[in-house]
Amino acid sequence: MLGSQTEDVALNTTSLLRHINARRCLRLLQNGRQLSRADMARQLGLTRATTGNAMRVLLDAGLVVESAEMSPESRKGRPGVGVSLNPSGAYFVGVDVGTRSLTGVLLDLQMNVVSRIVEPTGPRYRDAGHIAARLLSLIERLLNENPALQEKVEGIGISVPGLVGRDGSVVHAPFLEWRNYPLQSELTARSPADWSVMVCNDAFAFANAELAASATAKAGSMLVVLLAEGIGGAIIDDGRVVMGGHGYSGEIGHTIVSAAGRVDTFEMLAGAKLFTRLFEEGQPVADGVQMLLANVGDKAVDAVLDAWVSGLSAGLVNAIHLLDPGRIVLGGPLAGLYPKLSRRIQADIKRRLLAGFAMPEIRVAQFGADGAAIGAAATIRDTLFALPDLETNTL
Amino acid sequence: MLGSQTEDVALNTTSLLRHINARRCLRLLQNGRQLSRADMARQLGLTRATTGNAMRVLLDAGLVVESAEMSPESRKGRPGVGVSLNPSGAYFVGVDVGTRSLTGVLLDLQMNVVSRIVEPTGPRYRDAGHIAARLLSLIERLLNENPALQEKVEGIGISVPGLVGRDGSVVHAPFLEWRNYPLQSELTARSPADWSVMVCNDAFAFANAELAASATAKAGSMLVVLLAEGIGGAIIDDGRVVMGGHGYSGEIGHTIVSAAGRVDTFEMLAGAKLFTRLFEEGQPVADGVQMLLANVGDKAVDAVLDAWVSGLSAGLVNAIHLLDPGRIVLGGPLAGLYPKLSRRIQADIKRRLLAGFAMPEIRVAQFGADGAAIGAAATIRDTLFALPDLETNTL
DNA sequence: TGATATTTGTTTTTGTATAAGACAAAAACA
DNA sequence: TGTTTTTGTCTTATACAAAAACAAATATCA
């Protein structure tokens, strides 16, 4: 809980300035960047003295470290001392409650995965107390591997496949057969330390991982589509996740799409259900994808892939017209099909797109099965880098 | 240009605090609210002295006025002096470039329309110089009616039916037959005063009017749908307009929708084109709507209205699944059909909605044909109420 | 009617910010 | 070796809000 010292800021006094400057400095160091105090001062329009003060606070908090050697800048004068994020300055737990497995990760400040546990989900739990206990037990095992850093854990993020309200309660998770599960408040109550707890939708979590890891801090506008048995989605605009009125946005899988003469939900036309005839019963989707890729050329396979291409394109085009994402990121097991079919998909999308509309960059997600867990942990990490929200009135 | 004194703020020094506090106070006075300094201090968590200082600045700038009588609070002690926005403290110009007419409005700080000019669009202009001159002439006439307040004009907002880039250039406006029109920069260059100039999409502008006028400052998440010959849309999330990667978001009219056995664009299934057989050639859509409402019961009319109901519902449901708007606002001439058909539309939507999903509140826009012009002017007005963006680094 | 309590808005004092400038230290260059 | 350039810290000046004190204006109660 080192960071929380920096967190409880009065929104009024001059200490707000100090807080803002510290955060702005910290944000410059994201993505592994290393800068001198003078560099930061130039980029932020502050004096060197001010960045120096901010660094003293951040060094004391253990969030940053000085590294003697600085990148060879070939400048004339006295070389600056490099400052960068201290990877072991703070840790964050993320757990993805999947349909088949529970994935827990421990993230450090540099977004590295320090520990990882995957285990089968097991029987569905029917009340909040049980699942909370189960998750806390997983987290305890995750931390026991490195007991030294337990003090530095900032909080836990949980991702769930289903509708999650703004307060972190699971409204409806069909795969888990949960309804109105106050998971976040339950975990907060049972948390062994005063961790912050955030529960969110798995597509949001996955998108957050992509966002946090994207090289440019402002990845701008992005649509993340998770192609698995169902299809989930998350919308990023101006670097922020679009939540919607109740936090349910992004259910792109249930939009109605028309492609190649068929009219059905996007999920049916481009999700794993499209391949049920080709996949074996109970076969993991990822294995099925490998099988498909190995059998390109087979007539039955090609026919279904054709259907997939047009279903995916048609669904994405609808979303593009509505959202104009600068980038589309495809995740989930079915995304593995994209590279082989990218040319056809892009051509199909371009053909359907309205005149004047911009073709988004499309690419496969950089995270795989752990993405949601990592992103859930990153939601906690984000709070350390967040600038104060000046709009909130009810102090 | 009174407000701009308050605008050029260094993001570093302590004056940032003064600026933030002034803006936070000003924002409390939106929507005609009247508060005492002590009220504001309580709501913002500041001392009375601080709000008093902020008020002195705002009073000097002419943006607020003291009103001797305060609402009867039935409190014990000394009554506070009410402070409220000074309606004539600043003015904003908005022009909507419609397909048939040009609508110009002059807005005051309280969102009142002070003057208004509507005139036929006339022949299409083929280069940026002409249309800029045309618009500036309209604006000049608008201001000549009240020459005294020209000094207090903050800027001009222009709304255009088509794709507008983030830099305010018109990328593609099919109805106007414009392509790659650098309208904003042209107007900035030719502007007679150092006004700020903003060009935006007409649906964005309309949505902004609804947002600015909505009682709760944080209208949260909202989908605005403009039902005219085409169908435009704008997405509001967390009180902000979702722009998309290039500023083209909201083209809901071109999403593919399936309803009642037909598969076509939303525009074809729920726009005015659906009624072409019933409307007379060249008849304004608003008149056609009156005709339809007068002839409910007629078989041909009812059949088309049935189609409209299911087309509209299907298109909206897709958007709801993707965006989860807390509220849907229907604007444009066809929105006049909604009140008579609201029960059927709501039932249709509820039937199609995914389990657990929240039914948004649906209502007709409070603005009519002038909405886009008013909203365009409001984009300029918003800059006076905006809090500083702490994220910008390149000072 | 008059004394007291309560609330408001301003003034003064105090603590804490950053900017500006001066300074020594560390390197490049001549 | 001496000069120049750049860095990071220190000191001083200035600006801001909080805290506390204050007078003014009203309600309440005896």
Side-chain angles (χ1 to χ4, degrees):
Chain A
M1 296 296 296
L2 286 167
S4 43
Q5 296 170 5
T6 342
E7 269 194 86
D8 46 358
V9 195
L11 199 55
N12 31 25
T13 175
T14 50
S15 72
L16 177 64
L17 281 182
R18 209 181 172 90
H19 181 245
I20 288 174
N21 287 327
R23 290 292 169 102
R24 295 217 303 156
C25 288
L26 199 63
R27 291 160 69 89
L28 290 181
L29 302 177
Q30 279 174 308
N31 300 102
R33 264 183 280 269
Q34 188 197 41
L35 298 169
S36 71
R37 292 162 173 81
D39 289 333
M40 292 189 266
R42 273 187 294 269
Q43 289 192 41
L44 298 177
L46 303 170
T47 59
R48 296 194 301 273
T50 304
T51 55
N53 287 334
M55 281 312 105
R56 194 173 314 142
V57 174
L58 294 174
L59 283 167
D60 289 349
L63 294 177
V64 303
V65 283
E66 294 187 327
S67 36
E69 73 288 348
M70 186 67 185
S71 53
E73 280 286 341
S74 81
R75 288 219 208 93
K76 267 190 190 171
R78 166 178 167 180
V81 306
V83 178
S84 54
L85 289 186
N86 178 15
S88 55
Y91 293 87
F92 318 92
V93 176
V95 183
D96 174 46
V97 182
T99 54
R100 304 190 176 189
S101 57
L102 235 47
T103 307
V105 298
L106 182 63
L107 222 62
D108 71 13
L109 197 54
Q110 284 276 30
M111 292 278 295
N112 303 309
V113 176
V114 177
S115 327
R116 177 171 177 275
I117 294 180
V118 182
E119 56 182 40
T121 305
R124 306 278 179 264
Y125 292 88
R126 282 258 157 229
D127 76 286
H130 278 134
I131 180 64
R134 170 84 194 273
L135 289 174
L136 288 172
S137 139
L138 176 75
I139 291 166
E140 195 189 332
R141 275 173 286 147
L142 204 59
L143 296 178
N144 274 344
E145 298 181 13
N146 309 59
L149 46 79
Q150 298 207 13
E151 294 295 308
K152 295 183 178 179
V153 169
E154 288 288 325
I156 58 185
I158 313 286
S159 89
V160 173
L163 258 45
V164 179
R166 304 196 90 112
D167 61 346
S169 66
V170 180
V171 176
H172 186 42
F175 292 114
L176 301 170
E177 299 173 10
W178 292 354
R179 265 181 191 283
N180 298 317
Y181 232 70
L183 185 55
Q184 181 168 306
S185 58
E186 192 71 24
L187 283 171
T188 306
R190 291 160 173 261
S191 155
D194 59 339
W195 291 333
S196 41
V197 179
M198 302 188 78
V199 178
C200 70
N201 173 272
D202 59 345
F204 285 4
F206 193 92
N208 198 46
E210 292 288 324
L211 187 63
S214 67
T216 51
K218 210 166 199 168
S221 152
M222 178 165 94
L223 173 65
V224 177
V225 180
L226 235 52
L227 299 158
E229 292 160 37
I231 297 185
I235 303 158
I236 311 276
D237 188 73
D238 199 25
R240 272 182 284 266
V241 178
V242 171
M243 297 289 290
H246 319 83
Y248 308 164
S249 84
E251 286 292 331
I252 192 174
H254 295 88
T255 58
I256 306 293
V257 172
S258 159
R262 289 185 61 193
V263 175
D264 208 333
T265 61
F266 189 37
E267 208 158 277
M268 296 302 290
L269 295 184
K273 291 168 187 167
L274 182 69
F275 303 97
T276 35
R277 271 187 239 163
L278 298 176
F279 289 1
E280 289 164 31
E281 182 71 26
Q283 185 184 30
V285 177
D287 296 356
V289 167
Q290 290 310 314
M291 185 271 289
L292 287 173
L293 287 175
N295 289 298
V296 170
D298 177 284
K299 274 207 174 148
V301 169
D302 283 4
V304 182
L305 286 181
D306 284 355
W308 187 72
V309 166
S310 60
L312 182 65
S313 306
L316 290 182
V317 166
N318 266 2
I320 294 170
H321 282 146
L322 200 47
L323 300 169
D324 175 37
R327 176 189 295 169
I328 293 180
V329 175
L330 302 176
L334 281 182
L337 292 174
Y338 178 77
K340 261 233 161 80
L341 303 167
S342 62
R343 262 193 27 205
R344 288 166 57 195
I345 292 171
Q346 294 206 22
D348 212 2
I349 290 176
K350 213 169 272 179
R351 187 173 54 77
R352 296 167 192 255
L353 221 49
L354 185 64
F357 240 79
M359 180 76 189
E361 173 200 354
I362 304 181
R363 54 168 218 214
V364 175
Q366 48 189 311
F367 290 100
D370 292 355
I374 294 171
T379 60
I380 306 292
R381 178 179 176 271
D382 288 344
T383 61
L384 284 192
F385 293 90
L387 291 166
D389 179 12
L390 304 176
E391 296 191 24
T392 53
N393 283 340
T394 55
L395 203 70
Chain B
M1 298 295 295
L2 287 167
S4 41
Q5 296 171 4
T6 339
E7 269 192 84
D8 46 359
V9 196
L11 200 56
N12 33 23
T13 173
T14 50
S15 72
L16 176 64
L17 284 180
R18 212 182 170 88
H19 181 244
I20 288 174
N21 286 328
R23 289 293 169 102
R24 295 217 304 156
C25 287
L26 199 62
R27 291 160 70 89
L28 290 182
L29 301 178
Q30 279 174 309
N31 300 103
R33 264 183 280 269
Q34 188 198 40
L35 298 169
S36 72
R37 291 160 173 82
D39 289 332
M40 291 189 266
R42 272 187 294 267
Q43 289 192 41
L44 298 177
L46 303 171
T47 59
R48 297 193 301 273
T50 303
T51 55
N53 287 334
M55 282 310 105
R56 195 173 314 141
V57 174
L58 294 173
L59 283 167
D60 289 349
L63 294 178
V64 303
V65 283
E66 292 187 328
S67 36
E69 73 287 348
M70 187 66 185
S71 54
E73 280 285 341
S74 80
R75 287 221 207 91
K76 266 190 191 171
R78 167 178 165 179
V81 306
V83 178
S84 54
L85 289 187
N86 178 14
S88 54
Y91 293 87
F92 318 93
V93 175
V95 183
D96 175 46
V97 182
T99 53
R100 304 191 175 187
S101 56
L102 234 50
T103 307
V105 299
L106 182 63
L107 221 63
D108 70 13
L109 196 55
Q110 284 275 30
M111 293 278 294
N112 303 309
V113 176
V114 177
S115 327
R116 177 171 179 274
I117 295 181
V118 181
E119 58 184 36
T121 305
R124 306 278 180 263
Y125 293 88
R126 282 257 158 226
D127 77 286
H130 278 133
I131 180 65
R134 170 84 194 273
L135 288 174
L136 289 172
S137 138
L138 176 76
I139 292 166
E140 196 189 331
R141 276 174 285 147
L142 204 60
L143 295 178
N144 274 343
E145 298 180 14
N146 310 58
L149 45 81
Q150 297 207 14
E151 293 294 310
K152 296 184 177 176
V153 169
E154 287 288 324
I156 58 184
I158 313 286
S159 90
V160 173
L163 257 46
V164 179
R166 303 195 90 113
D167 60 347
S169 66
V170 181
V171 175
H172 185 42
F175 292 115
L176 302 171
E177 298 172 12
W178 292 355
R179 264 181 192 283
N180 298 317
Y181 232 71
L183 186 54
Q184 182 168 305
S185 58
E186 192 72 24
L187 283 171
T188 306
R190 292 160 172 259
S191 154
D194 60 337
W195 291 332
S196 41
V197 180
M198 303 188 77
V199 178
C200 70
N201 172 272
D202 58 346
F204 285 5
F206 193 93
N208 198 46
E210 292 288 326
L211 187 63
S214 68
T216 51
K218 209 166 202 169
S221 153
M222 177 164 95
L223 173 65
V224 177
V225 180
L226 236 50
L227 299 158
E229 291 161 38
I231 297 186
I235 302 159
I236 310 275
D237 188 72
D238 200 24
R240 272 181 284 266
V241 178
V242 172
M243 298 288 290
H246 318 84
Y248 309 164
S249 83
E251 286 292 332
I252 192 175
H254 296 88
T255 58
I256 306 292
V257 172
S258 158
R262 290 186 62 193
V263 174
D264 207 334
T265 61
F266 190 35
E267 207 158 278
M268 296 303 291
L269 295 184
K273 290 167 188 168
L274 183 69
F275 302 99
T276 34
R277 271 188 240 163
L278 298 176
F279 289 1
E280 290 164 31
E281 181 72 26
Q283 185 184 31
V285 177
D287 296 356
V289 167
Q290 290 311 313
M291 185 271 288
L292 287 173
L293 288 174
N295 290 299
V296 170
D298 177 283
K299 273 205 174 150
V301 169
D302 284 4
V304 182
L305 286 181
D306 284 354
W308 186 72
V309 166
S310 60
L312 182 66
S313 306
L316 290 181
V317 165
N318 267 1
I320 294 170
H321 281 146
L322 199 48
L323 299 169
D324 176 37
R327 176 189 295 170
I328 294 180
V329 175
L330 302 176
L334 281 183
L337 291 174
Y338 177 76
K340 260 231 161 83
L341 303 168
S342 62
R343 259 191 32 203
R344 287 165 57 196
I345 292 171
Q346 294 206 21
D348 212 2
I349 290 176
K350 212 167 274 180
R351 187 173 53 78
R352 296 167 192 256
L353 221 50
L354 185 65
F357 240 79
M359 180 77 189
E361 172 200 354
I362 304 180
R363 55 165 216 216
V364 175
Q366 48 189 310
F367 289 101
D370 291 354
I374 293 172
T379 60
I380 307 293
R381 178 179 176 272
D382 288 344
T383 61
L384 284 191
F385 293 90
L387 291 165
D389 180 10
L390 303 176
E391 296 192 24
T392 55
N393 283 341
T394 55
L395 203 71

